[in-house]
C-alpha cells in the first residue's frame, strides 16, 4: 500500500512539454552556406529530449542547454543545405524521456533554398551531332533549374556572346537558340549561361562540328620561286571535314589549264598535298592550282600558287657582334630575302696581312661563333686567294689553338674545307664555329642559293678589340709583380711624351688626307655582279660600295670594347695588304 502511494506521487511530478518552436524568420536560405538553427521548448519535467529531422531523417550532432531551472531548453543545430533540400520539411521535436512518444510535440519549417542556376544544354530533336553539314538549320535547347526561378540567359560561341540577329541567321527565343543555314564558321564550342541573385551557372560545352567540302587554309605560303631544272616543293594546305580523299594539280601558264597527273603526295591525314615541280623552260613559270576532294564533293574554289623565276638572294642584314667574352665573340646577322628558293650562308675568314684563308664556314642561319687563339707555328703560310687570277698554289693547311683552358681543342682551317659544327644557344642556333688568330682578320658573309651568291658583307676587327679579348691576367692593372723605380718612371715618362708627339703628328697627317677621301663608317658592304662573289675571286676592276651612315642593314656594336671598322677601297685585297691597317 505504501509503495503504490509513493509511485503516485512520482508520476504526478512528470510533465510533458508545453511548447516547442524553431526560432527563425523562416527566410530563404542559400545553398552552400552554413547556418546555426535554434529550437526552444518549455514546460517539460524532467528536461525534454530534443531532436531534429529533415524529411523524416534524423539529424545528429545538435547541442542542448537548460535555462530557468530546467524549465526552458534550447537546442542548436549547424546545417549546410544543398539545392536538393529546397521544399523539404525541417522538424524540431521535443518529448519527455519518461512519458515517451505520447508526450512528443514538434514544430515544422518548409525549407526554401536558393541556389545558383543549374544549366544543361542539348542539341535539338531529330538532329545528330555527327551529321551536321553546311546549309542546314541547327537549334539548341537550354534547360535551367534555379531558385529564385527568375534568370537571365546568355548564349556563347567560342566564349563570344551571341546576339539575336535574324539577318545573320541567329535567332534567340527564351531558352532556345536557332542557327539558320550553318556554315563551317559555325563550328566550335557552344555554351548556355543562366544567372540569378545567387550567381551564374554554365552548361557543359557542346562541340558542334560542321561537315564541309575542302577549302584553302588561311595564312599559307602562296608564292614560290624556282629555277630551270631545279625541283621545288609547293605545298597545298586545305581544311576539310571529313578528311580529303584526293588532290588534283594543274598549271596555268597562258590561260589554258594543264593537268599535272603525277609528282605530288598527301601528308598529315590528307590535309596537305606536296607537289614536286621542275620547270624546264621559261614557259613553265606561271600559276599552279590545287583542288581537294572529300566525301561531300570537290573543292569549289582552287588554291592558287604563283610560281616565278627565282633570283639571287639578298645579302644578310643587320650584322652585329654578340655574346662577346674574353676569348670569343659571335657574328649575328638577319636573313635577307632568299630569292624565292632555299638559301644557306657562308663566312670566309681571311688574315688581312698574309691573305691566308683561315676558315670557310657554311651554315643554315647567318650566325657564326669565332674563338680567338694562338698560332701553332711561328709563321703562317701565305697563298693566293685570287682563284683563276692567282698563282695556282695549293693552299696550305694550318691550325690555331684556342687560348682558353681547353688547349686540346684544335680546329683545322683549310681552304675549301667546311667547318660547320652546330651548337645550340639560348638566343638561337650558331651555324659555324671556328678558331681564328688574334691578329687582323677580315670576315666575309654571303647568302647562297641555287641561283647564285648574294653581295658580300665585309667585317674587319681592329686593335681596339685586343684588350677586351685578352685573358684577365694580361689586362692593364693586373701585373702585380711589376715595380716602377724613379729612374724607370722618368724613362717611361719620356717615352710617353715622345709617343704623344708622334700620335699628334700622325693625326694631323690623316686629317689632311681625310679631306680628300670619303668618310669611313663602321661596316662596309661589298657588291659584285660576277657569278662568284667569294672574296678570293675578286679582281682589281671590281667596284665596292660602302653603306651610308644611315643604312639600316648593318649595325656596329661596341660590346666590352670590341669594335668593327672598315676602310673604303676599290678592292678588299688592298685593304688586307695595306700595311697601315690596324689589326688584332
Amino acid at each position: 500500500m505504501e509503495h503504490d502511494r509513493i509511485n503516485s506521487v512520482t508520476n504526478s511530478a512528470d510533465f510533458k512539454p508545453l511548447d516547442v518552436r524553431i526560432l527563425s524568420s523562416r527566410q530563404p536560405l542559400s545553398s552552400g552556406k552554413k547556418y546555426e538553427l535554434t529550437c526552444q521548448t518549455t514546460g517539460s519535467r524532467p528536461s525534454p529530449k530534443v531532436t531534429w529531422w529533415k524529411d523524416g531523417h534524423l539529424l545528429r550532432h545538435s547541442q542542448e542547454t537548460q535555462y530557468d531551472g530546467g524549465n526552458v531548453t534550447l537546442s542548436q543545430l549547424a546545417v549546410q543545405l544543398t539545392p536538393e533540400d529546397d521544399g523539404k520539411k525541417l522538424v524540431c521535436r521535443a518529448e519527455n524521456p519518461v512519458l515517451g512518444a505520447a508526450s512528443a510535440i514538434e514544430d515544422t519549417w518548409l525549407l526554401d533554398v536558393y541556389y545558383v542556376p543549374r544549366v544543361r544544354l542539348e542539341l535539338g530533336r531529330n538532329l545528330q551531332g555527327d551529321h551536321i553539314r553546311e546549309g542546314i538549320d541547327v537549334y539548341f535547347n537550354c534547360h535551367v533549374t534555379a531558385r529564385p526561378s527568375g534568370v537571365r540567359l546568355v548564349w556563347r560561341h567560342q566564349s563570344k556572346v551571341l546576339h539575336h540577329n535574324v539577318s545573320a541567321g541567329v535567332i534567340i527565343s527564351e531558352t532556345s537558340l536557332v542557327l539558320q543555314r550553318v556554315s563551317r564558321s559555325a563550328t566550335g564550342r557552344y555554351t548556355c549561361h543562366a544567372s540569378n541573385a545567387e550567381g551564374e551557372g554554365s552548361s557543359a560545352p557542346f562541340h558542334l562540328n560542321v561537315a564541309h567540302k575542302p577549302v584553302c587554309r588561311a595564312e599559307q605560303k602562296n608564292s614560290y620561286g624556282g629555277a630551270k631544272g631545279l625541283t621545288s616543293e609547293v605545298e597545298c594546305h586545305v581544311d576539310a571535314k571529313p578528311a580529303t580523299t584526293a588532290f588534283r594539280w594543274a598549271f596555268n601558264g597562258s590561260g589554258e589549264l594543264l593537268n599535272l597527273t603525277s609528282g605530288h603526295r598527301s601528308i598529315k591525314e590528307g590535309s596537305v598535298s606536296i607537289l614536286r615541280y621542275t620547270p624546264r623552260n621559261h614557259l613553265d613559270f606561271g600559276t599552279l592550282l590545287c583542288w581537294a576532294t572529300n566525301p561531300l564533293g570537290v573543292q569549289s574554289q582552287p588554291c592558287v600558287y604563283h610560281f616565278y623565276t627565282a633570283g639571287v638572294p639578298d645579302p644578310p642584314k643587320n650584322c652585329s657582334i654578340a655574346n662577346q667574352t674574353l676569348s670569343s665573340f659571335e657574328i649575328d646577322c638577319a636573313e635577307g630575302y632568299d630569292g624565292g628558293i632555299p638559301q644557306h650562308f657562308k663566312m670566309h675568314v681571311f688574315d688581312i696581312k698574309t691573305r691566308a684563308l683561315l676558315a670557310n664556314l657554311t651554315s643554315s642561319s647567318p650566325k657564326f661563333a669565332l674563338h680567338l687563339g694562338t698560332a701553332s707555328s711561328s709563321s703562317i703560310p701565305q697563298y693566293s686567294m685570287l682563284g683563276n687570277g692567282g698563282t695556282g698554289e695549293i693552299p696550305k693547311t694550318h691550325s690555331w689553338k684556342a687560348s682558353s683552358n681547353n688547349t686540346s681543342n684544335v680546329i683545322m682551317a683549310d681552304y675549301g674545307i667546311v667547318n660547320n659544327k652546330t651548337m645550340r644557344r639560348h638566343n638561337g642556333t650558331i651555324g659555324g664555329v671556328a678558331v681564328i688568330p688574334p691578329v687582323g682578320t677580315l670576315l666575309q658573309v654571303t647568302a647562297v642559293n641555287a641561283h647564285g651568291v648574294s653581295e658580300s658583307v665585309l667585317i674587319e676587327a681592329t686593335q681596339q678589340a685586343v684588350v677586351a679579348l685578352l685573358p684577365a691576367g694580361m689586362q692593364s692593372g693586373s701585373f702585380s709583380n711589376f715595380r716602377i723605380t724613379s729612374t724607370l718612371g722618368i724613362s717611361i715618362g719620356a717615352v710617353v711624351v715622345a709617343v704623344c708627339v708622334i700620335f699628334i703628328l700622325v693625326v694631323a697627317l690623316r686629317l689632311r688626307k681625310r679631306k680628300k677621301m670619303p668618310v669611313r663608317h663602321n661596316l662596309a658592304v661589298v657588291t659584285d655582279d660576277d657569278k662568284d662573289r667569294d672574296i678570293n675571286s675578286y679582281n682589281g676592276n671590281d667596284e665596292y660600295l660602302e653603306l651610308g651612315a644611315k643604312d639600316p642593314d648593318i649595325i656596329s656594336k661596341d660590346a666590352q670594347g670590341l669594335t668593327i671598322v672598315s676602310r673604303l677601297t676599290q678592292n678588299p685585297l688592298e685593304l688586307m695588304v695595306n700595311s697601315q691597317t690596324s689589326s688584332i
Side-chain angles (χ1 to χ4, degrees):
M1 226 16 223
E2 183 67 21
H3 178 71
D4 292 341
R5 187 167 59 85
I6 293 174
N7 286 341
S8 176
V9 173
T10 302
N11 291 339
S12 64
D14 296 333
F15 302 100
K16 68 177 183 178
L18 299 177
D19 176 63
V20 62
R21 288 183 301 153
I22 298 176
L23 304 181
S24 173
S25 59
R26 309 296 174 98
Q27 295 295 320
L29 304 179
S30 295
S31 172
K33 293 184 178 180
K34 293 182 178 181
Y35 295 92
E36 189 173 85
L37 305 180
T38 302
C39 179
Q40 175 181 288
T41 180
T42 61
S44 177
R45 184 178 297 176
S47 298
K49 178 183 179 181
V50 181
T51 54
W52 293 83
W53 302 78
K54 182 176 67 176
D55 235 22
H57 297 282
L58 177 64
L59 302 178
R60 303 183 184 278
H61 308 299
S62 60
Q63 295 180 351
E64 299 176 6
T65 306
Q66 282 77 37
Y67 297 93
D68 193 19
N71 189 49
V72 178
T73 300
L74 296 180
S75 177
Q76 293 181 320
L77 175 70
V79 296
Q80 186 174 10
L81 303 177
T82 65
E84 288 75 19
D85 294 326
D86 182 52
K88 291 183 179 181
K89 289 182 180 180
L90 183 68
V91 176
C92 178
R93 177 182 296 175
E95 66 178 67
N96 188 305
V98 176
L99 300 179
S103 65
I105 60 175
E106 58 185 32
D107 186 22
T108 301
W109 178 13
L110 187 64
L111 293 174
D112 188 6
V113 180
Y114 281 3
Y115 54 90
V116 174
R118 292 181 165 184
V119 187
R120 179 172 57 87
L121 177 63
E122 66 177 8
L123 192 63
R125 294 181 180 179
N126 303 323
L127 291 176
Q128 297 180 2
D130 296 335
H131 295 82
I132 305 297
R133 60 177 298 174
E134 284 185 307
I136 70 171
D137 294 344
V138 176
Y139 62 96
F140 298 94
N141 290 321
C142 186
H143 302 278
V144 181
T145 56
R147 288 285 295 158
S149 57
V151 298
R152 175 177 176 268
L153 280 181
V154 174
W155 293 87
R156 286 189 172 93
H157 173 222
Q158 297 292 88
S159 301
K160 182 179 180 181
V161 176
L162 294 175
H163 300 282
H164 182 80
N165 188 343
V166 177
S167 61
V170 179
I171 301 174
I172 299 176
S173 176
E174 295 182 352
T175 60
S176 65
L177 168 67
V178 179
L179 304 175
Q180 296 179 320
R181 301 177 301 278
V182 294
S183 64
R184 63 188 182 90
S185 61
T187 297
R189 184 180 65 257
Y190 288 84
T191 52
C192 176
H193 306 262
S195 57
N196 63 4
E198 293 295 308
E200 180 181 288
S202 303
S203 68
F206 184 94
H207 295 271
L208 181 66
N209 293 312
V210 180
H212 58 88
K213 294 188 293 185
V215 294
C216 298
R217 186 172 300 170
E219 298 181 358
Q220 62 175 302
K221 183 178 180 179
N222 54 20
S223 294
Y224 289 83
K228 296 177 185 179
L230 176 67
T231 299
S232 301
E233 290 190 345
V234 181
E235 297 184 1
C236 176
H237 295 255
V238 299
D239 290 320
K241 187 172 183 61
T244 58
T245 56
F247 281 89
R248 179 169 73 91
W249 286 85
F251 173 76
N252 184 4
S254 58
E256 181 179 356
L257 291 181
L258 175 64
N259 288 323
L260 305 176
T261 58
S262 63
H264 58 87
R265 69 183 191 278
S266 298
I267 60 174
K268 295 182 180 178
E269 298 180 353
S271 63
V272 181
S273 178
I274 300 178
L275 172 68
R276 292 178 57 83
Y277 186 71
T278 307
R280 301 301 179 185
N281 54 57
H282 68 281
L283 297 178
D284 292 334
F285 294 92
T287 302
L288 294 170
L289 307 176
C290 168
W291 291 266
T293 303
N294 73 352
L296 298 182
V298 180
Q299 184 173 337
S300 300
Q301 297 294 329
C303 302
V304 180
Y305 305 95
H306 302 286
F307 196 82
Y308 57 89
T309 304
V312 174
D314 289 346
K317 301 182 295 184
N318 301 335
C319 290
S320 60
I321 291 178
N323 295 336
Q324 180 186 346
T325 67
L326 292 175
S327 59
S328 66
F329 62 93
E330 295 173 4
I331 298 298
D332 188 352
C333 304
E335 295 185 10
Y337 174 59
D338 61 6
I341 53 179
Q343 65 177 344
H344 61 276
F345 302 89
K346 298 182 69 175
M347 172 183 280
H348 291 144
V349 182
F350 297 97
D351 185 290
I352 293 179
K353 293 182 178 180
T354 65
R355 299 186 176 187
L357 177 64
L358 306 180
N360 181 6
L361 309 179
T362 300
S363 170
S364 60
S365 64
K367 297 182 180 180
F368 302 90
L370 301 173
H371 298 263
L372 296 185
T374 57
S376 59
S377 61
S378 58
S379 61
I380 302 174
Q382 298 186 13
Y383 53 88
S384 173
M385 302 181 304
L386 297 179
N388 295 335
T391 62
E393 178 184 353
I394 299 178
K396 299 179 181 179
T397 301
H398 52 278
S399 63
W400 299 93
K401 295 184 179 180
S403 58
S404 62
N405 293 333
N406 184 15
T407 56
S408 62
N409 180 23
V410 179
I411 297 181
M412 301 299 293
D414 189 14
Y415 185 86
I417 297 178
V418 176
N419 291 326
N420 58 349
K421 292 185 180 179
T422 300
M423 63 181 180
R424 290 283 181 180
R425 298 199 177 217
H426 293 295
N427 62 338
T429 301
I430 304 299
V433 183
V435 176
I436 63 174
V439 295
T441 55
L442 184 67
L443 314 178
Q444 178 197 32
V445 183
T446 56
V448 183
N449 65 11
H451 208 70
V453 183
S454 73
E455 297 174 348
S456 298
V457 175
L458 294 182
I459 304 171
E460 177 197 0
T462 68
Q463 184 67 28
Q464 297 176 10
V466 172
V467 174
L469 295 178
L470 283 176
M474 296 180 62
Q475 295 186 25
S476 177
S478 61
F479 298 96
S480 57
N481 295 329
F482 185 74
R483 302 178 59 183
I484 300 179
T485 63
S486 57
T487 304
L488 182 59
I490 296 174
S491 301
I492 292 177
V495 172
V496 170
V497 172
V499 170
C500 291
V501 173
I502 295 174
F503 176 77
I504 294 173
L505 292 176
V506 171
V507 170
L509 291 175
R510 289 194 176 185
L511 288 177
R512 294 183 60 185
K513 286 185 177 181
R514 187 167 296 181
K515 294 180 180 180
K516 301 179 181 180
M517 295 178 62
V519 179
R520 298 173 183 173
H521 301 291
N522 282 346
L523 287 175
V525 61
V526 179
T527 63
D528 184 9
D529 293 333
D530 291 343
K531 182 175 180 181
D532 185 3
R533 290 175 169 81
D534 288 350
I535 193 168
N536 57 330
S537 65
Y538 290 135
N539 54 56
N541 296 325
D542 291 337
E543 182 177 358
Y544 300 89
L545 303 179
E546 182 181 31
L547 289 177
K550 298 182 179 180
D551 195 304
D553 290 345
I554 302 296
I555 294 179
S556 176
K557 290 186 176 180
D558 188 356
Q560 303 180 13
L562 184 61
T563 59
I564 300 176
V565 178
S566 68
R567 296 177 179 271
L568 182 64
T569 176
Q570 294 298 315
N571 191 316
L573 297 181
E574 297 177 6
L575 175 64
M576 292 188 294
V577 300
N578 193 335
S579 59
Q580 299 298 327
T581 300
S582 298
S583 58
I584 61 174

